[in-house]
Amino acid sequence: MKRKLTLLLILIVSFSFAQGGMKEKKEKIKALKVAYITEKLDLTAEEAQKFWPVYNAFDDKQFEIKHNKMRTIVNQFESGGFESLSEKEALELITKMEDYEDEMHTLKKKYIKDLIKVIPAKKIIKLKKAEEEFNRKLLREFRGKKD
């Protein structure tokens, strides 16, 4: 039954994937990811109730670091803005990048500690595998639609 529900959700989201703006697409991807992870981890009701708040808090904070903080640095590289940087400014930029990477590493370590409190270690490993599989499938889907 759970598998059929997951497949139904994936089909519904897939049919409507081509419609809507960026925010809607992000929400649809998130719904697909939740369905995929739920199926792959086979969480009990009690585990799911504890798991999803931890997962979502990590996901939100990770997004903030990657897209809000690191994006400003990446934009400078893409726009060629780094060409006009002084050596001092370049060193400051490197320090910022290292700080963001340290922040991400610390966040991931805390996330694992928090997850261990709510799901077994084997499911944490399954989670990592499920996320990687989902991302590969998403990338293949994206590449297929671009061609």
Side-chain angles (χ1 to χ4, degrees):
M1 179 66 182
K2 185 188 269 188
R3 188 179 224 71
K4 288 180 183 179
L5 182 62
T6 302
L7 289 173
L8 179 62
L9 178 61
I10 290 172
L11 284 173
I12 291 169
V13 174
S14 294
F15 284 124
S16 59
F17 191 73
Q19 301 171 352
M22 191 59 134
K23 186 176 181 180
E24 289 85 9
K25 286 181 182 178
K26 184 180 173 198
E27 290 301 316
K28 289 174 187 174
I29 291 169
K30 188 168 184 150
L32 282 171
K33 188 176 186 180
V34 166
Y36 191 83
I37 288 171
T38 298
E39 179 185 339
K40 293 295 182 178
L41 293 188
D42 194 28
L43 298 170
T44 66
E46 184 180 331
E47 287 173 336
Q49 185 178 16
K50 294 176 182 175
F51 168 79
W52 287 111
V54 172
Y55 184 87
N56 290 331
F58 169 76
D59 198 47
D60 291 345
K61 184 65 178 171
Q62 179 179 244
F63 181 83
E64 177 190 326
I65 293 168
K66 283 184 177 178
H67 296 300
N68 296 343
K69 293 180 177 182
M70 288 296 277
R71 179 48 78 198
T72 58
I73 293 170
V74 171
N75 285 344
Q76 249 184 315
F77 288 117
E78 289 175 352
S79 67
F82 64 93
E83 294 293 337
S84 62
L85 290 176
S86 69
E87 189 63 20
K88 182 181 177 190
E89 290 170 327
L91 286 171
E92 289 171 0
L93 198 57
I94 290 170
T95 300
K96 273 187 184 177
M97 290 186 318
E98 289 174 334
D99 290 346
Y100 296 153
E101 288 173 11
D102 287 345
E103 187 178 354
M104 185 64 82
H105 180 71
T106 301
L107 176 67
K108 287 179 181 178
K109 286 176 70 173
K110 180 187 179 312
Y111 173 57
I112 296 299
K113 284 181 183 177
D114 291 346
L115 280 179
I116 287 174
K117 296 174 188 173
V118 298
I119 61 173
K122 284 177 80 171
K123 286 191 179 183
I124 295 172
I125 293 169
K126 283 183 178 181
L127 170 64
K128 181 68 175 159
K129 184 175 185 262
E131 287 177 317
E132 288 175 3
E133 288 172 352
F134 179 83
N135 289 337
R136 276 195 302 275
K137 287 181 180 196
L138 188 63
L139 187 57
R140 279 195 304 267
E141 177 80 14
F142 178 71
R143 285 181 179 158
K145 289 188 184 256
K146 270 190 114 171
D147 295 338

